Amino acid sequence: PAPPCTLVIFGAAGDLTKRLLMPSLYNLAGSGLLDPGFTILGVDHNDGSDEGLRTELTTSMETLSKDPGSEFHADRIDPKSWGFIRERIHFLKGDFEDAGTFEALKGKVSGNVVFYLAVAPRFFGSLVDGLGRAGLLKQADDAFRRVVIEKPFGSDLASARALNAQILKQADESQFYRIDHFLGKETVQSIMALRFANGMLEPVWRREYVDSIQITAGETVGVEERGGFYEPTGALRDMVPNHMFQLLCMVAMEPPNSFSAEDVRGEKAKLAQAVKPIRPDHAVRGQYVAGALEGKPVVGYREEPHVAKDSNTETYVALKLEIDNWRWAGVPFYVRTGKRMTGRRTEIAILFKPAPFQLFADTPVAELSPNVMRITIDPDHGAGTELNVKVPGPQMQIGRVTMGFKYADFFKNQPNVGYETLLYDCMTGDATLFQRADNIEAGWAAVEPLLEAWKTAPVEDYAAGTPGPKAADDLLARDGRHWLGLD
Ligand code: BG6
């Protein structure tokens, strides 16, 4: 198990605590990965009590387990695992900006502490200041002090830099765990094993053999109730410098010298820094209008709650990235993400250069389709490579097959709502799957030209339930390429 520690959650009654932290802690308890000395201290500005918070979180766990759409869907909650968590929950009332809260905290915690900032981003800096000024971030040989910070980390390069500078005045970089939940996804982590544990893949993973790479995070959900957050944010800030860049780094970074946090994060930062600032003519921004999904009509973005009727916020982005390094020079990386797209699919596709055609000049195919390796992250977890083979029969004909696997066919899935590994790693002090300051800043630096240009650029329409705006197809067509299908 992880060493004994206190998990202080700021925003104890919030959505993140209920939807992700509690189910993940419950799963960790079920796997025997929490020490009997583990405790939780929830801090929130509303009135409350230990028993009140325990009851509230028990109710939300039950509701979540009955929701078939939730990752936590289960027939029953195991009383032993939940009991372990429930009896360790305590409550402290406190305003996040009041020095008194931190003084009160001092009397409540000792030894190892993880401070989890499950709060709105505007509180990140002041909470770290409060913790630092109260001496709560001072470590000892037998007492670590760590801070987990949620996304979004800044809203552009200047604000990300300012926030990094602010928090690093209070504690050392090694004490900060900046979360990107994509790194908690099993399939994202396994990209490193796929690439570096297989001698046959790494030699072809480079410009000599790869034509282009497509990274897609397509969602069918709309903006839901999050209009208030999404309006000033948009798809670019919400997804690209963070989640999409994490996928990019995993698939394109150089082999690290070891799996130590510093080696892996060093390679990721180097890759992110090699991404050329994105040219506005290499970028498309779209917004969904009314359409249909699974046969049901859905409203357009501007009709969603808390969204302006004339909103110019993008719900879709398509980009062409160029990486200025030895391995990838000249290989375009096409990145797209959007809400209300045709299909839910998060994947990385590596498109290889075609074989010479001459040998098959007389076979009934116009051209040989290139090999494509697709690493699927959601909703399936697996990988497959599309190959050209002979169609059985007396004539030489070329057909297309997929050679692939799903993780579930080989391994028993661990119960996982997405934060188990991240929480466990933070308690054990492994920062590999967290973002270092330089990595975050490199992501923002790459998208900076777009943030500027898009202040006035209009959005392109796409009907809900379609793959995206036409301009995104044109972006690839200009290079003689096309997007892979989402189904
Ligand atoms: C979040 C974004 O960080 O990631 C959401 O704020 C997005 O807008 C979500 O829907 C996507 O994550 P996942 O795990 O559902 O692919």
Side-chain angles (χ1 to χ4, degrees):
C5 79
T6 302
L7 177 66
V8 176
I9 306 177
F10 291 97
D15 189 52
L16 181 86
T17 306
K18 290 178 178 157
R19 232 168 13 90
L20 290 162
L21 300 188
M22 287 302 140
S24 300
L25 290 169
Y26 161 87
N27 283 337
L28 286 175
S31 312
L33 292 173
L34 297 177
D35 186 274
F38 174 75
T39 56
I40 299 170
L41 178 59
V43 185
D44 226 310
H45 53 269
N46 301 323
D47 284 330
S49 64
D50 293 357
E51 208 37 49
L53 184 58
R54 288 174 188 169
T55 307
E56 189 177 344
L57 295 176
T58 304
T59 309
S60 69
M61 288 285 285
E62 278 161 4
T63 313
L64 205 61
S65 71
K66 291 196 188 93
D67 175 1
S70 125
E71 307 268 12
F72 187 57
H73 185 55
D75 292 339
R76 66 190 268 276
I77 294 178
D78 171 38
K80 190 158 163 261
S81 305
W82 179 241
F84 179 97
I85 299 294
R86 189 187 193 284
E87 67 190 24
R88 287 174 168 74
I89 297 174
H90 303 275
F91 179 79
L92 174 70
K93 179 180 159 134
D95 193 288
F96 301 153
E97 293 188 307
D98 176 5
T101 304
F102 303 97
E103 285 310 312
L105 251 181
K106 264 165 84 175
K108 295 253 180 197
V109 297
S110 60
N112 297 328
V113 186
V114 171
F115 297 100
Y116 200 115
L117 314 190
V119 297
R122 66 178 186 281
F123 294 116
F124 292 163
S126 56
L127 271 173
V128 173
D129 279 346
L131 291 170
R133 285 195 196 115
L136 283 158
L137 297 180
K138 281 211 185 70
Q139 309 202 87
D141 285 346
D142 58 351
F144 62 70
R145 297 296 163 101
R146 299 178 184 141
V147 185
V148 181
I149 305 183
E150 272 293 329
K151 84 170 253 278
F153 194 95
S155 56
D156 56 14
L157 180 58
S159 56
R161 274 189 182 146
L163 184 54
N164 275 328
Q166 183 178 7
I167 65 175
L168 290 170
K169 276 195 192 123
Q170 303 297 345
D172 184 69
E173 171 65 40
S174 62
Q175 292 174 262
F176 291 107
Y177 288 68
R178 300 175 192 80
I179 283 226
D180 185 306
H181 82 276
F182 266 44
L183 289 174
K185 293 180 191 278
E186 255 313 316
T187 334
V188 175
Q189 295 168 46
S190 70
I191 296 172
M192 283 198 280
L194 197 66
R195 282 189 60 193
F196 303 131
N198 294 293
M200 62 182 264
L201 289 181
E202 190 50 23
V204 295
W205 216 261
R206 59 191 66 249
R207 63 193 298 277
E208 288 82 354
Y209 302 99
V210 173
D211 167 81
S212 56
I213 292 187
Q214 295 188 11
I215 305 180
T216 299
E219 299 186 83
T220 49
V221 290
V223 71
E224 301 180 302
E225 294 301 313
R226 299 166 71 221
F229 157 77
Y230 205 80
E231 273 284 88
T233 307
L236 180 70
R237 287 187 168 90
D238 189 33
M239 296 291 291
V240 177
N242 31 61
H243 303 328
M244 304 306 276
F245 263 63
Q246 291 302 331
L247 300 183
L248 174 74
C249 288
M250 285 292 185
V251 76
M253 70 179 180
E254 292 300 311
N257 283 355
S258 76
F259 285 122
S260 76
E262 285 327 287
D263 283 349
V264 172
R265 299 194 306 172
E267 292 305 338
K268 284 169 62 180
K270 256 168 69 186
L271 191 279
Q273 285 156 2
V275 178
K276 287 193 196 171
I278 304 164
R279 290 167 39 175
D281 63 326
H282 283 178
V284 173
R285 59 193 309 246
Q287 187 188 73
Y288 64 85
V289 295
L293 264 156
E294 289 168 2
K296 293 197 192 95
V298 291
V299 299
Y301 176 67
R302 291 180 188 181
E303 283 82 58
E304 300 278 17
H306 317 296
V307 170
K309 292 284 163 248
D310 58 350
S311 170
N312 193 39
T313 297
E314 79 281 350
T315 60
Y316 173 100
V317 192
L319 308 168
K320 173 179 168 176
L321 307 186
E322 299 166 289
I323 299 180
D324 221 354
N325 72 9
W326 194 264
R327 184 186 289 260
W328 296 118
V331 178
F333 282 68
Y334 300 107
V335 170
R336 67 181 155 163
T337 178
K339 304 248 177 235
R340 288 280 190 236
M341 288 170 67
T342 337
R344 160 94 170 123
R345 194 174 181 99
T346 304
E347 75 165 20
I348 302 174
I350 297 102
L351 289 84
F352 290 90
K353 291 188 174 165
F357 187 55
Q358 290 85 320
L359 194 55
F360 299 98
D362 297 328
T363 56
V365 278
E367 60 174 334
L368 282 186
S369 302
N371 299 129
V372 180
M373 179 168 185
R374 296 168 89 139
I375 301 172
T376 47
I377 293 155
D378 271 322
D380 291 335
H381 308 289
T385 303
E386 292 167 27
L387 300 172
N388 301 312
V389 296
K390 177 179 171 295
V391 179
Q395 283 177 323
M396 186 59 169
Q397 265 192 51
I398 300 288
R400 196 94 168 139
V401 297
T402 304
M403 185 169 80
F405 69 91
K406 287 186 180 172
Y407 285 89
D409 293 340
F410 291 86
F411 307 106
K412 192 173 164 316
N413 272 344
Q414 304 270 338
N416 191 344
V417 293
Y419 270 51
E420 288 81 355
T421 310
L422 297 173
L423 284 168
Y424 180 76
D425 284 359
C426 179
M427 289 188 257
T428 52
D430 181 351
T432 314
L433 297 177
F434 293 84
Q435 303 198 79
R436 217 168 56 184
D438 52 355
N439 208 179
I440 293 222
E441 290 179 14
W444 282 118
V447 302
E448 195 71 356
L450 302 182
L451 296 179
E452 198 42 49
W454 285 4
K455 281 182 185 154
T456 48
V459 283
E460 313 264 346
D461 287 356
Y462 63 101
T466 63
K470 181 174 171 303
D473 294 337
D474 297 344
L475 178 72
L476 269 68
R478 292 207 295 265
D479 294 347
R481 298 190 177 90
H482 60 269
W483 293 107
L484 298 179
L486 282 175
D487 326 310

